[in-house]
Amino acid sequence: DGVDSAYALDANPDNVWWLGAAAAVFRGDMKAIVLQRRDARALAFSCFKTHFAASHRDWTYHPAALAARLDALRRLTDHWLPHPNLRPVVFEDLLADPAAVITDLLENFLHLPPHPDCLDPARNPLPFRTPAALDLRLAADLRPTPPRD
């Protein structure tokens, strides 16, 4: 309905390396990009425990290399965050209050109307093609639930 659909949602920390290229390609007309940020220890553990089939991620299996890579990614992300078309979303905030974070992101950054399906990813029957697929399925279990009678 006339909504500009040129958005990118980035949950892969390595894609931060491409922000400079995106800024050059779009030459000042870079669309909205949402960057997921996460506690460094949680991100390091997530990378360390995940078996990546691609050999270019060997750095995830060596603690010193992992720490150096994540520090470089953090510094690069910090460099780009002042860009008005980038919005960080803190993973822990998303878990703590998904409705508030998602609604704010949709309404105030992407200028899209909220949709109830955005608030319940566990209901999505389609496969998630991400190393965090299990985390996404279990996200509903991590939210506080009302006490049973």
Side-chain angles (χ1 to χ4, degrees):
D1 298 5
V3 175
D4 184 356
S5 62
Y7 300 103
L9 176 61
D10 184 1
N12 180 346
D14 264 349
N15 287 335
V16 171
W17 297 114
W18 296 102
L19 289 176
V25 167
F26 292 113
R27 298 178 195 265
D29 191 31
M30 187 162 62
K31 302 301 181 191
I33 296 178
V34 177
L35 292 173
Q36 177 181 295
R37 298 205 78 173
R38 190 171 186 183
D39 176 80
R41 294 164 300 186
L43 179 57
F45 179 69
S46 177
C47 290
F48 186 76
K49 73 176 179 64
T50 302
H51 174 72
F52 293 104
S55 62
H56 64 279
R57 290 206 173 113
D58 286 346
W59 56 269
T60 63
Y61 307 120
H62 306 285
L66 176 60
R69 178 71 161 243
L70 294 182
D71 184 56
L73 290 170
R74 180 198 52 78
R75 287 184 287 118
L76 186 57
T77 300
D78 289 346
H79 168 79
W80 284 107
L81 279 181
H83 194 287
N85 292 12
L86 292 177
R87 170 71 72 92
V89 171
V90 177
F91 182 74
E92 292 78 12
D93 294 346
L94 185 60
L95 284 180
D97 194 354
V101 172
I102 292 169
T103 301
D104 175 62
L105 183 66
L106 289 172
E107 292 179 343
N108 299 319
F109 182 63
L110 300 174
H111 308 291
L112 296 170
H115 192 282
D117 289 350
C118 292
L119 302 178
D120 195 0
R123 284 185 18 196
N124 183 352
L126 300 175
F128 291 105
R129 300 191 189 286
T130 171
L134 182 59
D135 294 338
L136 291 169
R137 292 285 179 216
L138 296 175
D141 294 334
L142 297 176
R143 284 181 259 157
T145 55
R148 293 183 177 167
D149 292 334

